[in-house]
Amino acid sequence: MGCLESELTQLQLVYILIKPKSLKVCRQVGGILSSPGLGRTLPIAICLFTSFLYLHSMPQDLSEALKEATKEVHMQAENVEFMKNFQKGQVTREGFKLVMASLYHIYVALEEEIEHNKEHPDYAPLYFPEELHRRAALEQDMAFWYGPHWQKDIPYTGATQSYVRRLHKVGRMEPELLVAHAYTRYLGDLSGGQLLKKIAQKALDLPSNDEGLAFFTFPNIASATKFKQLYRARMNTLEMSPEVRERVIEEAKTAFLLNIKLFEELQALLTQDTTDQSPSTTPRHRRQEGSRAQESTPSKTPRGKAQLNILSQAPLLRWVLTLSFVVATVAVGLYAI
């Protein structure tokens, strides 16, 4: 057994990277077969073959299953008009304020339910409040974007309310599904969220000290890549029945669909605001104003022409008056005679 253990140590890292439990199986099999008569080669060969069979008989890790199952809906979310414009740097301050306000409501609900269920066996290994929770950061951002009275000023859209209702329902009635929402939100923030931060900072000309972008900053995570690896490893330790596991996967899809509806609603709101203020409506108003001006101008033009006509006829009028005066004078003279 000692010789086998020595050689297994050299392979330990490989087995741990592939599947931690496979090393345990390998050792058990090796311990049975490592008799002096069998030598060292047979136990190692059997060990490797057993590990191979074990790996292929194991169900897919939860983190891998979630990534695979949500690939299509994830792509749909990235191709919603709001997100496509965002990724191109076509983001306005009003649009960014809207999405940040929605995120505030969503994370308040999510983290309330996480706190209520932090000791639940299907969530406890994923409880990282200091590293992940976003409510405090979003409160800073709300104050930056909406001012000191932000709590009564921030919008609360219909799609946001639907998202919040779903989070509360899951937390109170199906807490084992919280992992799906935590997975889609927090790992997304540590991945694509960092790119969105850079885009917003540039497009909105925000200060380099991350004011207004606290949501995207994780001061207690030194390496996002390593933390995501840790988080996925913790997810894979959750012991779930096949039925619960399938429900978690479906809930992750639901989380993406809720995000899609939110983005579609925000785009519609922005489009409506643009239509209300669109230059295309301005010419119509200008044309109406021009028409009114033209309607009022003709009333002035005849008066102007009348004045010109009067002035042009003034010499004739003077001749008529002069002749009348002469005639009157002659008539008076004749009358006097």
Side-chain angles (χ1 to χ4, degrees):
M1 185 67 180
C3 295
L4 180 60
E5 286 288 343
S6 177
E7 296 201 18
L8 284 177
T9 302
Q10 300 175 20
L11 300 171
Q12 186 173 5
L13 179 60
V14 176
Y15 289 131
I16 289 175
L17 289 175
I18 298 174
K19 185 77 68 173
K21 292 182 180 179
S22 66
L23 180 60
K24 182 179 179 181
V25 174
C26 183
R27 283 176 172 168
Q28 291 174 344
V29 174
I32 296 171
L33 297 177
S34 61
S35 63
L38 291 175
R40 289 159 49 182
T41 304
L42 181 59
I44 291 296
I46 296 296
C47 176
L48 292 172
F49 181 68
T50 304
S51 295
F52 174 81
L53 294 177
Y54 180 81
L55 289 174
H56 285 267
S57 67
M58 284 290 292
Q60 190 180 28
D61 285 336
L62 179 60
S63 63
E64 295 169 359
L66 284 172
K67 183 177 181 179
E68 185 66 27
T70 59
K71 187 178 296 184
E72 183 177 347
V73 71
H74 191 172
M75 189 174 296
Q76 291 175 15
E78 290 179 342
N79 283 284
V80 174
E81 185 177 0
F82 181 86
M83 289 306 299
K84 288 174 67 176
N85 291 341
F86 200 131
Q87 293 170 37
K88 294 176 184 177
Q90 299 171 0
V91 54
T92 63
R93 297 180 77 87
E94 187 58 34
F96 192 71
K97 287 172 65 176
L98 278 174
V99 72
M100 293 300 283
S102 292
L103 288 174
Y104 169 76
H105 293 298
I106 289 167
Y107 277 90
V108 167
L110 174 60
E111 289 168 7
E112 281 180 358
E113 297 307 328
I114 287 175
E115 286 298 322
H116 294 157
N117 295 281
K118 61 185 178 182
E119 296 181 0
H120 192 285
D122 288 331
Y123 190 81
L126 304 177
Y127 183 63
F128 292 98
E130 297 299 321
E131 292 82 2
L132 292 178
H133 286 195
R134 301 286 84 203
R135 179 172 182 168
L138 281 163
E139 288 175 350
Q140 295 178 36
D141 290 337
M142 292 302 96
F144 177 86
W145 291 108
Y146 289 94
H149 305 295
W150 62 268
Q151 288 179 315
K152 64 178 182 180
D153 293 336
I154 62 173
Y156 192 13
T157 68
T160 307
Q161 294 178 43
S162 297
Y163 201 148
V164 166
R165 283 196 296 271
R166 181 59 188 173
L167 289 169
H168 284 310
K169 181 178 180 181
V170 166
R172 294 165 186 171
M173 302 178 65
E174 302 174 285
E176 63 275 11
L177 304 185
L178 272 178
V179 60
H181 291 279
Y183 166 82
T184 55
R185 289 253 53 105
Y186 291 125
L187 293 196
D189 299 336
L190 288 169
S191 300
Q194 299 308 297
L195 176 61
L196 297 180
K197 172 186 176 181
K198 294 178 181 178
I199 294 173
Q201 198 163 34
K202 181 178 180 180
L204 303 177
D205 194 24
L206 296 174
S208 58
N209 61 0
D210 290 345
E211 277 191 293
L213 298 169
F215 167 75
F216 299 97
T217 305
F218 294 81
N220 295 322
I221 296 180
S223 169
T225 300
K226 291 181 179 179
F227 185 86
K228 286 186 291 184
Q229 291 173 349
L230 170 64
Y231 197 87
R232 292 190 182 100
R234 291 284 189 93
M235 287 178 63
N236 297 337
T237 66
L238 297 175
E239 296 184 3
M240 295 180 173
S241 67
E243 184 270 334
V244 171
R245 180 189 173 93
E246 187 59 33
R247 285 167 52 218
V248 167
I249 291 172
E250 290 303 313
E251 190 65 22
K253 295 179 184 178
T254 298
F256 275 106
L257 291 174
L258 288 168
N259 278 284
I260 289 172
K261 290 180 181 179
L262 173 61
F263 295 148
E264 289 175 340
E265 180 189 56
L266 295 181
Q267 184 61 41
L269 291 172
L270 292 173
T271 302
Q272 182 62 45
D273 288 344
T274 303
T275 302
D276 293 342
Q277 302 173 8
S278 173
S280 63
T281 61
T282 305
R284 184 173 68 245
H285 294 312
R286 288 177 179 171
R287 286 196 296 271
Q288 292 173 349
E289 292 172 1
S291 300
R292 289 195 294 270
Q294 290 174 1
E295 291 171 0
S296 61
T297 301
S299 64
K300 294 181 180 179
T301 303
R303 287 201 298 270
K305 290 181 179 179
Q307 291 172 355
L308 290 173
N309 290 336
I310 290 173
L311 291 175
S312 64
Q313 296 174 2
L316 177 61
L317 183 59
R318 284 199 295 272
W319 280 106
V320 172
L321 291 174
T322 301
L323 181 60
S324 298
F325 179 77
V326 171
V327 171
T329 301
V330 171
V332 171
L334 291 175
Y335 180 79
I337 295 175

